[in-house]
Amino acid sequence: MNAPANALPDPFRDGIAGGWNVIDASTLTVDTTYEADVAIVGTGAGGGTAAEILSAAGLRVILLEEGPLRTSRDFKMREAVAYPDLYQESAARRTADKAIGILQGRCVGGGTTVNWTSSFRTPPATLRYWQEAFGLTGFSVDALSPYFARMEERLSIAPWEVAPNANNAALARGAAKLGIEAAVIRRNVKGCWNIGYCGLGCPTNAKQSMLVTTIAGALGRGATLVSRVRAKAFAFEGDRVARLECVAMDARGVYPTSRRITIRARAYVAAGGAIGSPALLLRSRTPDPHGLVGKRTFLHPTVVSVARMPERVDAFAGAPQVIYSDHFLDQAPPGGPIGYKLEAPPVHPVLGAITLPNHGPVHAEWMRELPRLQVVIALLRDGFNAESPGGSVALRDDGQPVLDYPLTPYLFEGMRRAFVSMAQIQFAAGATRVMPIQANGAAFTNVADAQRAIAGFALSPRITPVVSAHVMGGCPLGEDPRRAVVDVTGRHHQLGNLYVLDGSLFPTSIGANPQLSIYGIVAKLADGLAASLANPRRV
Amino acid sequence: MITRRTFLVTGVAGAAALTGAWWLRHRLLERPGAPSTEPWSGFDPEAKTIVAAIVPVMLDGALPNPPSDRAAAVDETVDGVGLAIAGLAPAAQDELAQLFALLAFAPARIALAQVTAPWRDASPATINAFLDSWRDSRWQLQRSAYDALNDLILAAWYGNERSWPAIGYPGPPRLTG
């Protein structure tokens, strides 16, 4: 079996052929300086959205990306290729005690190039909590609604009208049998082929990622994109950023080369995600009088339940995550015991293999069931309770970030409830066996046994595998400099021309897949930044 | 019979041996403590031997049966692990280099992994007992070492299309535009 040839159109490559300013820093042979109106560090949901808005306002934009530039023709739907190439730390990023695996994009388009396309507006309960608990004004449902509408139109976000794949249909069926409300997820796709490989880069350009929408748009307006470049630190003059010092990365993105890159701009935007942006601020020693940078980092800690169905499910095929249930979020409003959102992820061989516990014949037996496996995940809404303070980003000796995120009894209590909910739904959907993913690999054939066993599970770090695909917080926005790193315009409280425009702005987790929250909130803030840069006296 | 007391004593002795072996190995190799900035030479022959010994046990029940297919599958999985490590962040590469250095150090192999014979001669049952004990270890370090080996080997095998027929995965669809 050879890699399928992909002879489909690749508009991004056409753009490069047509003269877009695109530079692969790993190929640079001399130290280089670039000048722009705005330098944006990171090309994911935040950086991409900001780039298009700022370049549309006539500003010269330079985008910096640590990962590689890959486009649709490079996307071969192979896990062995995609994980090392397109993800942070080869998709093996983990928290400091290695208890939580973190899936995060690292390529042009960031997480949006490899995410599963789930699109939710920021839930009203989350926005209300930000107002009540953090005094955040200007981010109400009404205030944000036009920005969400604008980005939904830009990214073709609409409910998934095609029948769900069997993996998602089982979630809907099980929930319905139990009287639990479930609904269809909205997706950012245009002409989707329903093949199910969103997580490995969309080979048909149907996914409306930053790569094919806003970044392409910004490049068309003259923006510059530099890939394989690592932002090391800002240098300051008084209370302003004077320049950004960067290093080029090698072709695999593992080690820096000896080439230095200097960026000079009127304004600088940190958009490297909720681990990368705090790390850049920490490396730069930006003023942080209240010790807030990199604190309160949230993950939507996620636990997994695997079911064996009597029929084929083929959870590797068809659009992933098209059905969700917020029943257990609505039942547990912010402030009390933790709530969780239920979704049904894609199940490809590598993702399945590293999720299933154990090794040897026991593991092999479950792998042989791959086509009959149905998987539900529970994403916990962290950050809404004093017992859920999140994690903190620190720097290793080599300057690279590591997230310390203690798993607390408060979180484990929610995970225990989530395991029961998932098993109930999977049995109601017809499962013959359910395995709540634990190191012991115990599986059950009925609800009562599962429930009894789950009640006795010794939930603890590394015994209970926990994953995250959503990193949020660490540079929260707010009016009060004692509680927020940036003000309500996204500008750093102590530095005049430094902005944060990505998921690190959030004071808590979102309680939903965060891409649309980032798009909408960054669109609002980028409008403001564009207006202030149009007036030379302001910045 | 193992009492709680002997268990604790063994545990403490184990931790001491772990630290001692680690330190010795560092001294012997003059490996710096901070993540290196130079490309890791990758798989040294010792590390490769260890992984080659573990792969058939980790993937017992998953590898193809005909001996030649099986040997090729093991070789490709070992190479895949090497390739994956070379693409990891320097800090992770360094941790794995330390793990392999530790496991290659005979006193540590015997004391911590209970593998008395050299890796290439160790029986599958011995290696399986080592994997089980590190998986269930009280020591976080051993549990994370097990997880790292498990993830690397499973990802290398199931990312390889040779593994797909046995698990009913048809591979990605062909795209024609």
Side-chain angles (χ1 to χ4, degrees):
Chain A
M1 229 182 318
N2 293 316
N6 179 357
L8 301 173
D10 188 339
F12 204 100
R13 285 201 193 179
D14 297 344
I16 296 172
W20 286 354
N21 300 318
V22 171
I23 296 147
D24 176 353
S26 72
T27 65
L28 291 179
T29 53
V30 291
D31 293 354
T32 310
T33 298
Y34 298 100
E35 294 193 6
D37 290 318
V38 189
I40 302 176
V41 182
T43 62
T49 300
E52 179 164 66
I53 291 169
L54 295 167
S55 43
L59 296 159
R60 286 177 309 146
V61 169
I62 185 166
L63 280 153
L64 307 170
E65 170 58 50
E66 188 176 12
L69 170 62
R70 299 285 183 251
T71 64
S72 58
R73 235 166 258 173
D74 302 311
F75 299 145
K76 308 286 192 202
M77 301 181 281
R78 304 272 165 154
E79 293 179 285
V81 176
Y83 296 149
D85 201 32
L86 306 177
Y87 284 75
Q88 288 285 0
E89 302 182 33
S90 296
R93 181 171 260 187
R94 287 192 162 273
T95 50
D97 67 357
K98 301 195 164 49
I100 309 176
I102 299 173
L103 286 175
Q104 243 184 326
R106 189 186 76 160
C107 52
V108 173
T112 73
T113 298
V114 293
N115 74 14
W116 298 336
T117 72
S118 309
S119 304
F120 298 89
R121 290 190 181 192
T122 315
T126 299
L127 295 175
R128 263 198 311 276
Y129 187 81
W130 290 357
Q131 195 165 354
E132 287 161 12
F134 299 91
L136 192 62
T137 53
F139 294 84
S140 63
V141 171
D142 288 345
L144 288 175
S145 167
Y147 297 98
F148 288 138
R150 181 167 128 202
M151 292 310 292
E152 285 159 0
E153 192 186 343
R154 176 71 182 96
L155 304 176
S156 305
I157 291 173
W160 180 240
E161 307 284 6
V162 179
N165 71 3
N167 195 40
N168 280 273
L171 172 57
R173 185 170 71 241
K177 283 225 174 113
L178 299 173
I180 290 168
E181 198 184 336
V184 172
I185 295 180
R186 298 194 303 159
R187 307 181 63 218
N188 55 321
V189 294
K190 200 153 99 183
C192 174
W193 291 31
N194 196 24
I195 52 183
Y197 287 78
C198 317
L200 310 181
C202 180
T204 69
N205 291 308
K207 174 160 58 172
Q208 299 298 288
S209 66
M210 296 294 98
L211 175 70
V212 306
T213 60
T214 55
I215 294 172
L219 291 170
R221 287 195 170 89
T224 298
L225 168 67
V226 187
S227 62
R228 287 290 191 224
V229 59
R230 174 178 284 167
K232 282 194 78 169
F234 297 111
F236 308 105
E237 276 170 16
D239 64 354
R240 298 176 65 80
V241 176
R243 62 182 187 279
L244 173 61
E245 303 287 1
C246 308
V247 289
M249 300 300 290
D250 65 16
R252 283 181 324 176
V254 177
Y255 296 96
T257 70
S258 50
R259 295 280 73 86
R260 292 173 180 283
I261 296 163
T262 304
I263 311 290
R264 294 179 189 280
R266 292 165 63 201
Y268 300 81
V269 172
I275 292 178
S277 288
L280 175 57
L281 268 57
L282 290 169
R283 279 198 298 273
S284 308
R285 300 177 195 279
T286 52
D288 184 19
H290 305 286
L292 301 170
V293 174
K295 303 295 191 311
R296 290 187 61 79
T297 303
F298 302 105
L299 290 175
H300 288 155
T302 297
V303 288
V304 183
S305 187
V306 174
R308 186 203 180 278
M309 292 290 171
E311 69 283 350
R312 276 187 82 104
V313 175
D314 290 347
F316 41 77
Q321 297 202 152
V322 299
I323 299 290
Y324 74 104
S325 173
D326 275 354
H327 177 83
F328 301 98
L329 280 179
D330 299 339
Q331 272 199 332
I338 198 159
Y340 45 90
K341 186 181 198 79
L342 300 180
E343 293 176 340
V347 186
H348 291 109
V350 172
L351 208 53
I354 63 173
T355 300
L356 291 166
N358 222 321
H359 62 270
V362 182
H363 186 273
E365 193 189 323
W366 277 94
M367 283 305 291
R368 279 194 295 275
E369 301 284 2
L370 187 82
R372 279 165 293 278
L373 297 186
Q374 194 278 330
V375 178
V376 178
I377 54 176
L379 300 82
L380 276 70
R381 178 171 57 190
D382 52 343
F384 293 79
N385 184 298
E387 291 175 67
S388 177
S392 55
V393 174
L395 300 176
R396 297 185 200 271
D397 293 348
D398 65 354
Q400 290 308 291
V402 59
L403 173 64
D404 181 31
Y405 189 109
L407 288 168
T408 58
Y410 173 80
L411 297 171
F412 284 124
E413 187 276 332
M415 291 176 189
R416 201 181 297 281
R417 275 184 282 122
F419 277 134
V420 172
S421 311
M422 292 190 287
Q424 286 172 331
I425 288 171
Q426 289 172 311
F427 280 120
T432 54
R433 293 170 82 191
V434 170
M435 175 161 59
I437 295 293
Q438 280 282 299
N440 66 14
F444 309 95
T445 54
N446 61 71
V447 175
D449 285 354
Q451 217 163 341
R452 204 163 30 242
I454 291 166
F457 274 174
L459 302 177
S460 60
R462 301 208 65 87
I463 300 289
T464 309
V466 178
V467 292
S468 166
H470 306 153
V471 193
M472 300 154 283
C475 298
L477 85 171
E479 273 163 41
D480 183 353
R482 289 167 305 178
R483 299 183 70 187
V485 173
V486 300
D487 67 19
V488 291
T489 71
R491 185 166 69 172
H492 194 278
H493 270 299
Q494 285 84 25
L495 294 164
N497 59 344
L498 174 59
Y499 289 75
V500 176
L501 298 180
D502 65 12
S504 51
L505 291 166
F506 304 148
T508 64
S509 78
I510 294 292
N513 308 53
Q515 66 167 339
L516 182 50
S517 292
I518 301 171
Y519 300 142
I521 288 171
V522 168
K524 173 177 153 77
L525 302 183
D527 270 1
L529 175 56
S532 72
L533 286 172
N535 177 350
R537 281 168 304 177
R538 288 284 309 281
V539 169
Chain B
M1 195 181 88
I2 296 177
T3 64
R4 179 172 159 74
R5 190 179 141 71
T6 57
F7 187 56
L8 282 176
V9 168
T10 318
V12 171
L18 189 78
T19 320
W22 212 294
W23 181 83
L24 262 176
R25 197 65 196 182
H26 266 275
R27 294 285 301 210
L28 292 172
L29 295 178
E30 292 184 341
R31 200 182 274 285
S36 46
T37 50
E38 289 298 303
W40 188 37
S41 54
F43 247 3
D44 61 34
E46 280 180 326
K48 219 168 165 167
T49 305
I50 295 166
V51 175
I54 295 173
V55 163
V57 180
M58 196 75 97
L59 297 177
D60 185 16
L63 293 170
N65 273 326
S68 62
D69 289 1
R70 193 180 172 84
V74 171
D75 286 351
E76 286 172 17
T77 305
V78 174
D79 290 347
V81 168
L83 202 65
I85 294 173
L88 290 176
Q93 290 193 19
D94 229 56
E95 285 177 11
L96 285 162
Q98 289 175 19
L99 172 65
F100 289 126
L102 178 74
L103 291 175
F105 186 55
R109 186 193 71 225
I110 296 164
L112 300 173
Q114 322 281 310
V115 175
T116 48
W119 285 102
R120 67 167 56 80
D121 304 325
S123 72
T126 309
I127 292 174
N128 194 50
F130 148 67
L131 291 175
D132 282 352
S133 75
W134 280 37
R135 178 196 62 205
D136 302 332
S137 171
R138 311 165 57 239
W139 304 104
Q140 168 116 334
L141 221 50
Q142 295 190 341
R143 290 209 302 274
S144 47
Y146 169 84
D147 286 350
L149 291 169
N150 190 277
D151 284 358
L152 282 166
I153 292 171
L154 292 173
W157 174 236
Y158 288 105
N160 182 340
E161 61 194 48
R162 253 182 219 278
S163 71
W164 298 346
I167 59 172
Y169 173 61
R174 280 180 182 276
L175 302 179
T176 45

